[in-house]
Amino acid sequence: MKTIERIEYLKRAVASRLSLAVNSLTARSKRRLLLTAGCLVTCICLFMITSPFHKKSSVIVIPKGDIPTTIIPPEPMLSVEDFQLLRDFEQIMDSLKLYDNKTYTETLQDRKGLLDSVKMLLRLQP
């Protein structure tokens, strides 16, 4: 017999034996058994839920490590060419807003936050 067949055979044997044992009990005994098993499982669940809160060690240990002191790197984020390109783009968009509003709105239609990002990048550069 293969291992899987053997396991299936043992499961059927255990199930039939338990079925015979339970069927021989009276209805009152079955209710008592069910109530006892329910109470036991409830107690185990409550214990498992509350046990982490009753540990004696309540000290939180913070791991030591390097804390970054600077958020923005000291070297410039943009090259001079990139900065000039962004400035030119901002000027073109301002001109479009004044003289060709249709093209301006079509350009920004699916690009929410584009001008805000460009302005933020220009502010970062000295």
Side-chain angles (χ1 to χ4, degrees):
M1 238 196 262
K2 293 182 181 178
T3 307
I4 296 174
E5 292 173 355
R6 179 82 176 144
I7 291 172
E8 290 296 323
Y9 173 76
L10 289 174
K11 286 194 313 189
R12 279 192 298 271
V14 168
S16 63
R17 184 169 178 176
L18 287 175
S19 176
L20 288 174
V22 169
N23 286 336
S24 65
L25 295 175
T26 64
R28 187 174 185 185
S29 298
K30 287 179 186 178
R31 273 188 253 130
R32 284 183 182 167
L33 180 65
L34 183 63
L35 184 64
T36 305
C39 289
L40 180 66
V41 169
T42 303
C43 291
I44 290 171
C45 289
L46 287 174
F47 173 76
M48 290 176 67
I49 290 171
T50 59
S51 65
F53 300 108
H54 296 294
K55 288 185 178 180
K56 293 180 178 157
S57 175
S58 62
V59 178
I60 298 173
V61 178
I62 300 173
K64 292 183 180 180
D66 294 333
I67 299 173
T69 55
T70 59
I71 297 173
I72 299 174
E75 67 271 354
M77 294 177 62
L78 299 172
S79 66
V80 177
E81 294 84 19
D82 291 338
F83 183 72
Q84 188 61 38
L85 182 69
L86 286 173
R87 186 178 291 171
D88 292 342
F89 177 77
E90 185 183 34
Q91 290 173 356
I92 290 170
M93 292 305 288
D94 288 341
S95 298
L96 280 176
K97 186 176 183 179
L98 292 175
Y99 299 110
D100 192 4
N101 200 10
K102 182 181 177 188
T103 306
Y104 176 79
T105 55
E106 287 176 0
T107 303
L108 295 179
Q109 185 176 11
D110 293 328
R111 297 172 183 92
K112 294 180 181 177
L114 175 67
L115 290 180
D116 294 332
S117 299
V118 169
K119 288 178 183 177
M120 183 196 68
L121 286 170
L122 288 174
R123 262 188 268 130
L124 290 177
Q125 201 68 17

